Amino acid sequence: MKINTIKTLVFGTVVLFSISGCTNDFDQYNQEKLGGPENFYADFIAVVDPMKSMQRGLQADYQLYPNLSADMYSGMFSTASPFNGGVNNLTYSMMDNWNNRIIARQQDIFNYSIIIDNAAKVIYEGVDFTGTFAVKKILKVITAARVSDNHGPVVYSKYEKPNPNGTTDFDSQQDAYNYFITDLTAAITDLQKVIATSATQNVEDKSSLKNADLVYGGDMVKWAKFANSLKLRLAMRMSYADPVKSRQYAEEALASSAGLITDNADNALISVGQSELSFIIYSWGDCLIGAPLMAYMNGYKDSRLSAYALPATDSSVQGKYIGIRQGIDLLNGKTTYGGFSQPQAKSANGDYFSATDGKMKLFTAAETYFLRAEAALRGYTGAGDMKMNYESGVQQSFGEWGKSANVAAYLANTTDTEAPYIDPKNADNNVAAGNPQLSTITIGWNNTDTNERKLERIITQKWLCLYPNGPEAWAEQRRTGYPILFKIRKNDSGGLISTDAMIRRIPFTIDTKTSLYNYQQALQTLSGPDTGATKLWWDKK
């Protein structure tokens, strides 16, 4: 097993330095990471470098989170490596020293945000960083939303506001989501304000963002679209828990002058250099493709298959696309299953898993159309035509992966369904035709279907388009129940997590329980015990 160990920052709000306190640590960071004072005004490096670190931090420690949790639970990925003797997250035995990375990475990213705030105050006093700070706000929402979609309660609005006793309170997930929407709306307003200025105004702000931006190279119009698209995503996530606000926020996003990401040219992809998945998959062999993903794609004769996975090399399945079922007895590990299909991500615009020019997928045009399709299903104003949105989502996804020539035939397919799963190593893992763990949903749109059937079709295709964004795919699967996934066969939770109900969240870890975070207060915002069985606030279906 090759799992990186990355130092976890101190918990709580007493971080690298306080907003109003001394700057010794700040000065040391500047000297070590940015060079001497003479460099501070060179391209606003004291803001630019920590902004880059915020973005790259979203894939830091990727194996422990999300690959060995959300990625696997999404059905997109699996592994042949029997970590911890085969008793681990994949068999619902929660690995504390894996799952603690979720909050640790948030702390890293939020602490970089504080460094930026101090740089602006101490070094660049008087410089208007409105646009740059709007992007920073969006990055914080992305980060905190990922934490919340795993744990539920999250330290967000009070991250820099400790209690008199030194502890820091959590926001309930419900409150956090409303804060996220408020902050995204504010970020959009700020970005549009800077966009509307002349070329000779906000020069420092535009220059700093151009140098710091690993997604859009400083294009604030695209960032505003991205923020608005995220607002629509979060609004739809609330659809079962708070349908009134879900409608309100979604309709605001649909009507916003900022627009939405509706073309692959505007896809939000972080340029990370070396994708951490490049060595997790190809060097270590610790990540293979998930059985459900291959079952759907094989059944649908989906031409994106060759972009998502490599053919198996094992003699029993050589040349086929086959994944590993999650939560099984891996027998002899890689010796048994190591030759099953490896994941890849060869898009029309490059290899997302590249060791030199990798991309981390945050949001694409396809997702926008599927969100709009669901919004139309729910009767939200401004969503547009349901069928048109659904088909546009599929078309954009096929375009993302360079398979546009095949999309018409795919959308016309009204008969094919998910394929049965046959495990040549252990027939006990098979999911045969007729098994309720296999979906019967087809591809082609059918206006006469029930709304629930339409929802399954929308979300199943949305799930396919989200690849390789496992965290978002797992969140949507829990919210809607789609796509239908295979259940684990080996449950090591000791009765804490139901095999049938499947894992609903990731429990807090010892690091959080013993930190300056107010863990007892967080428990009060959960709808049940701090286990993997307790549903999140938005998980109300």
Side-chain angles (χ1 to χ4, degrees):
M1 175 174 72
K2 300 181 179 179
I3 296 179
N4 291 339
T5 299
I6 297 180
K7 182 179 179 181
T8 301
L9 296 182
V10 177
F11 279 79
T13 55
V14 185
V15 291
L16 298 178
F17 51 86
S18 70
I19 286 295
S20 59
C22 74
T23 60
N24 290 340
D25 288 331
F26 176 50
D27 292 338
Q28 182 179 356
Y29 174 87
N30 287 334
Q31 294 296 326
E32 293 178 355
K33 303 296 184 183
L34 309 176
E38 69 276 5
N39 291 327
F40 291 157
Y41 284 93
D43 299 322
F44 299 95
I45 196 169
V47 165
V48 167
D49 274 16
M51 275 286 286
K52 288 180 177 178
S53 294
M54 287 183 73
Q55 295 162 81
R56 292 186 179 121
L58 287 168
Q59 79 141 5
D61 223 0
Y62 194 94
Q63 184 175 37
L64 296 185
Y65 177 77
N67 192 241
L68 288 173
S69 53
D71 276 356
M72 306 291 174
Y73 301 146
S74 75
M76 291 180 171
F77 298 92
S78 192
T79 184
S81 302
F83 298 117
N84 196 44
V87 179
N88 53 56
N89 280 356
L90 277 68
T91 64
Y92 294 173
S93 177
M94 296 290 96
M95 300 294 291
D96 207 81
N97 63 331
W98 295 2
N99 299 329
N100 62 10
R101 269 34 175 208
I102 298 169
I103 286 180
R105 296 292 75 77
Q106 180 202 4
Q107 291 175 318
D108 289 350
I109 292 169
F110 274 43
N111 290 345
Y112 280 122
S113 174
I114 295 173
I115 288 173
I116 294 168
D117 290 340
N118 278 268
K121 290 180 179 180
V122 177
I123 300 174
Y124 307 121
E125 184 179 2
V127 176
D128 183 351
F129 287 110
T130 297
T132 302
F133 274 47
V135 170
K136 178 167 73 74
K137 186 173 288 185
I138 296 165
L139 292 171
K140 290 178 68 177
V141 170
I142 294 168
T143 302
R146 283 180 19 157
V147 174
S148 184
D149 288 346
N150 282 277
H151 291 313
V154 58
V155 176
Y156 181 70
S157 70
K158 302 175 181 66
Y159 189 84
E160 299 168 28
K161 301 173 184 177
N163 297 315
N165 66 358
T167 63
T168 303
D169 287 343
F170 287 76
D171 295 314
S172 69
Q173 185 171 60
Q174 180 176 8
D175 287 345
Y177 260 66
N178 284 294
Y179 287 130
F180 298 158
I181 295 289
T182 297
D183 285 350
L184 288 174
T185 303
I188 293 165
T189 298
D190 286 345
L191 287 166
Q192 290 184 313
K193 175 184 174 183
V194 179
I195 290 166
T197 62
S198 68
T200 58
Q201 292 179 284
N202 298 89
V203 175
E204 298 95 339
D205 189 16
K206 294 169 184 175
S207 174
S208 68
L209 183 60
K210 181 178 180 180
N211 291 321
D213 184 3
L214 303 178
V215 181
Y216 292 126
D219 191 326
M220 294 190 193
V221 172
K222 291 186 177 182
W223 271 104
K225 285 184 182 180
F226 180 26
N228 197 43
S229 301
L230 285 171
K231 181 175 177 177
L232 180 59
R233 174 196 280 178
L234 298 180
M236 297 310 297
R237 186 89 89 244
M238 301 167 67
S239 59
Y240 291 105
D242 191 340
V244 174
K245 284 191 174 179
S246 172
R247 176 187 288 271
Q248 174 193 334
Y249 295 150
E251 290 180 350
E252 287 175 4
L254 291 165
S256 173
S257 60
L260 297 162
I261 296 174
T262 56
D263 187 275
N264 285 323
D266 295 338
N267 288 351
L269 309 169
I270 302 177
S271 296
V272 293
Q274 182 177 26
S275 167
E276 291 199 12
L277 278 166
S278 67
F279 49 82
I280 296 168
I281 298 169
Y282 308 122
S283 299
W284 302 347
D286 280 344
C287 179
L288 295 171
I289 206 75
L293 183 61
M294 294 296 94
Y296 276 101
M297 299 189 87
N298 280 319
Y300 289 156
K301 303 178 181 64
D302 194 320
S303 63
R304 291 171 292 184
L305 188 54
S306 61
Y308 286 16
L310 293 165
T313 58
D314 185 274
S315 59
S316 65
V317 286
Q318 191 164 16
K320 297 180 180 179
Y321 291 96
I322 181 170
I324 300 174
R325 189 171 172 179
Q326 184 199 139
I328 62 171
D329 183 347
L330 289 169
L331 304 176
N332 293 316
K334 292 179 185 178
T335 302
T336 304
Y337 287 103
F340 280 33
S341 291
Q342 289 182 318
Q344 62 175 359
K346 295 290 181 69
S347 81
N349 294 308
D351 180 2
Y352 293 168
F353 297 165
S354 169
T356 57
D357 188 26
K359 304 287 192 296
M360 184 176 183
K361 181 170 171 175
L362 299 178
F363 204 106
T364 65
E367 183 181 351
T368 295
Y369 284 107
F370 289 118
L371 288 167
R372 285 170 56 171
E374 183 185 351
L377 179 67
R378 298 184 185 281
Y380 293 2
T381 301
D385 182 77
M386 197 186 322
K387 176 178 184 289
M388 186 178 298
N389 281 320
Y390 169 79
E391 293 184 343
S392 295
V394 175
Q395 289 162 356
Q396 289 294 324
S397 181
F398 272 63
E400 177 188 355
W401 299 101
K403 306 295 182 181
S404 293
N406 307 110
V407 71
Y410 185 83
L411 286 170
N413 186 338
T414 59
T415 57
D416 287 337
T417 59
E418 181 183 10
Y421 177 69
I422 306 300
D423 183 346
K425 305 296 183 178
N426 185 352
D428 289 342
N429 298 327
N430 292 352
V431 184
N435 191 307
Q437 294 181 75
L438 287 176
S439 173
T440 60
I441 201 68
T442 52
I443 301 165
W445 189 257
N446 184 350
N447 276 323
T448 66
D449 275 337
T450 64
N451 280 352
E452 192 63 29
R453 188 85 170 159
K454 289 174 182 175
L455 180 65
E456 182 179 0
R457 181 170 287 115
I458 291 168
I459 301 299
T460 298
Q461 289 298 325
K462 179 182 180 180
W463 176 75
L464 289 169
C465 94
L466 285 170
Y467 178 85
N469 188 346
E472 182 61 22
W474 183 41
E476 285 296 86
Q477 199 281 331
R478 285 175 288 162
R479 177 180 72 93
T480 65
Y482 303 121
I484 295 171
L485 298 178
F486 304 155
K487 303 181 190 304
I488 65 170
R489 295 200 62 252
K490 184 173 178 283
N491 190 327
D492 292 316
S493 71
L496 291 177
I497 304 172
S498 165
T499 298
D500 287 336
M502 307 176 78
I503 187 168
R504 311 312 297 181
R505 64 180 288 273
I506 294 176
F508 288 111
T509 66
I510 291 173
D511 282 354
T512 300
K513 295 174 184 178
T514 58
S515 73
L516 290 176
Y517 281 1
N518 193 346
Y519 172 67
Q520 293 302 319
Q521 177 257 342
L523 290 181
Q524 296 171 16
T525 74
L526 284 172
S527 59
D530 184 15
T531 70
T534 295
K535 289 187 174 185
L536 299 181
W537 165 74
W538 48 248
D539 189 0
K540 288 290 194 296
K541 187 177 178 183

